[in-house]
Short mmCIF file of all heavy atoms in Angstrom, two decimals:
data_model
loop_
_atom_site.label_atom_id
_atom_site.label_comp_id
_atom_site.label_asym_id
_atom_site.label_seq_id
_atom_site.Cartn_x
_atom_site.Cartn_y
_atom_site.Cartn_z
N ARG A 236 51.96 106.50 30.34
CA ARG A 236 51.22 106.19 29.19
C ARG A 236 50.08 107.39 29.19
O ARG A 236 49.70 107.88 30.17
CB ARG A 236 50.64 104.97 29.13
CG ARG A 236 49.68 104.53 30.18
CD ARG A 236 49.29 103.08 29.99
NE ARG A 236 48.31 102.57 30.98
CZ ARG A 236 47.04 102.61 30.92
NH1 ARG A 236 46.35 103.24 29.83
NH2 ARG A 236 46.25 102.28 31.97
N VAL A 237 49.56 107.56 28.11
CA VAL A 237 48.43 108.54 27.80
C VAL A 237 47.21 107.87 28.03
O VAL A 237 46.97 106.71 27.62
CB VAL A 237 48.49 109.17 26.42
CG1 VAL A 237 47.38 110.17 26.22
CG2 VAL A 237 49.78 109.83 26.22
N LEU A 238 46.12 108.55 28.59
CA LEU A 238 44.85 108.08 28.88
C LEU A 238 43.88 108.61 27.79
O LEU A 238 43.93 109.90 27.62
CB LEU A 238 44.35 108.37 30.32
CG LEU A 238 45.10 107.73 31.43
CD1 LEU A 238 44.56 108.22 32.69
CD2 LEU A 238 45.03 106.21 31.39
N PHE A 239 42.99 107.78 27.39
CA PHE A 239 41.90 108.26 26.25
C PHE A 239 40.47 108.03 26.92
O PHE A 239 40.30 107.15 27.61
CB PHE A 239 42.03 107.55 25.05
CG PHE A 239 43.41 107.70 24.41
CD1 PHE A 239 44.40 106.78 24.63
CD2 PHE A 239 43.61 108.67 23.57
CE1 PHE A 239 45.72 106.97 24.07
CE2 PHE A 239 44.94 108.91 22.84
CZ PHE A 239 45.95 107.94 23.22
N ASP A 240 39.61 108.83 26.45
CA ASP A 240 38.16 108.58 26.83
C ASP A 240 37.54 107.67 25.76
O ASP A 240 38.17 107.17 24.80
CB ASP A 240 37.35 109.88 27.02
CG ASP A 240 37.34 110.68 25.65
OD1 ASP A 240 37.68 110.10 24.54
OD2 ASP A 240 36.86 111.84 25.66
N ASP A 241 36.30 107.29 25.85
CA ASP A 241 35.59 106.48 24.95
C ASP A 241 35.57 106.99 23.50
O ASP A 241 35.47 106.16 22.56
CB ASP A 241 34.25 106.18 25.39
CG ASP A 241 34.13 105.29 26.73
OD1 ASP A 241 35.16 104.69 27.01
OD2 ASP A 241 33.05 105.46 27.26
N ALA A 242 35.68 108.15 23.37
CA ALA A 242 35.70 108.72 21.98
C ALA A 242 37.10 108.98 21.39
O ALA A 242 37.28 109.46 20.28
CB ALA A 242 35.06 110.17 22.08
N GLY A 243 38.13 108.54 22.06
CA GLY A 243 39.52 108.48 21.69
C GLY A 243 40.22 109.74 21.84
O GLY A 243 41.26 109.98 21.42
N ARG A 244 39.62 110.70 22.73
CA ARG A 244 40.28 111.89 23.07
C ARG A 244 41.22 111.70 24.27
O ARG A 244 40.93 111.00 25.18
CB ARG A 244 39.26 113.02 23.43
CG ARG A 244 38.39 113.39 22.25
CD ARG A 244 37.38 114.53 22.63
NE ARG A 244 36.39 114.02 23.68
CZ ARG A 244 35.23 113.78 23.40
NH1 ARG A 244 34.75 113.75 22.13
NH2 ARG A 244 34.42 113.28 24.36
N VAL A 245 42.37 112.47 24.14
CA VAL A 245 43.34 112.37 25.20
C VAL A 245 42.78 113.09 26.51
O VAL A 245 42.29 114.31 26.34
CB VAL A 245 44.66 113.03 24.87
CG1 VAL A 245 45.58 113.10 26.03
CG2 VAL A 245 45.24 112.33 23.73
N ILE A 246 42.78 112.49 27.60
CA ILE A 246 42.23 113.08 28.89
C ILE A 246 43.26 113.27 29.99
O ILE A 246 42.89 113.79 31.04
CB ILE A 246 40.99 112.37 29.38
CG1 ILE A 246 41.35 110.82 29.63
CG2 ILE A 246 39.76 112.37 28.38
CD1 ILE A 246 40.23 110.05 30.33
N GLY A 247 44.52 112.78 29.74
CA GLY A 247 45.43 112.84 30.77
C GLY A 247 46.56 111.78 30.68
O GLY A 247 46.70 111.08 29.63
N THR A 248 47.17 111.40 31.79
CA THR A 248 48.29 110.53 31.74
C THR A 248 48.22 109.65 33.10
O THR A 248 47.58 109.93 34.06
CB THR A 248 49.67 111.09 31.74
OG1 THR A 248 49.78 111.90 33.04
CG2 THR A 248 49.82 112.09 30.64
N PHE A 249 48.74 108.53 32.90
CA PHE A 249 48.91 107.63 34.12
C PHE A 249 50.32 106.99 34.18
O PHE A 249 50.82 106.58 33.18
CB PHE A 249 47.89 106.41 34.16
CG PHE A 249 47.84 105.62 35.32
CD1 PHE A 249 47.19 106.05 36.38
CD2 PHE A 249 48.54 104.41 35.37
CE1 PHE A 249 47.16 105.26 37.64
CE2 PHE A 249 48.55 103.65 36.45
CZ PHE A 249 47.89 104.03 37.68
N SER A 250 50.98 107.25 35.39
CA SER A 250 52.34 106.83 35.52
C SER A 250 52.60 105.90 36.65
O SER A 250 51.92 106.10 37.68
CB SER A 250 53.24 108.08 35.62
OG SER A 250 53.10 108.96 34.53
N SER A 251 53.56 104.97 36.50
CA SER A 251 54.03 104.34 37.73
C SER A 251 55.45 104.77 38.06
O SER A 251 56.24 104.86 37.04
CB SER A 251 53.95 102.80 37.50
OG SER A 251 54.67 102.41 36.30
N GLY A 252 55.76 104.96 39.16
CA GLY A 252 57.17 105.51 39.59
C GLY A 252 57.83 104.58 40.50
O GLY A 252 57.23 104.09 41.50
N PHE A 253 59.04 104.27 40.19
CA PHE A 253 59.97 103.44 40.97
C PHE A 253 60.95 104.22 41.56
O PHE A 253 61.85 105.04 40.99
CB PHE A 253 60.64 102.29 40.15
CG PHE A 253 59.60 101.44 39.41
CD1 PHE A 253 59.04 101.82 38.19
CD2 PHE A 253 59.27 100.28 39.93
CE1 PHE A 253 58.07 101.05 37.58
CE2 PHE A 253 58.34 99.38 39.17
CZ PHE A 253 57.73 99.84 38.03
N THR A 254 61.21 104.08 42.92
CA THR A 254 62.13 104.88 43.67
C THR A 254 63.53 104.36 43.47
O THR A 254 63.81 103.21 43.50
CB THR A 254 61.84 104.60 45.22
OG1 THR A 254 60.51 105.04 45.50
CG2 THR A 254 62.78 105.64 46.08
#
Side-chain angles (χ1 to χ4, degrees):
R236 63 185 180 89
V237 178
L238 295 177
F239 301 90
D240 64 12
D241 293 339
R244 295 183 294 260
V245 175
I246 58 173
T248 65
F249 187 77
S250 304
S251 58
F253 299 83
T254 306

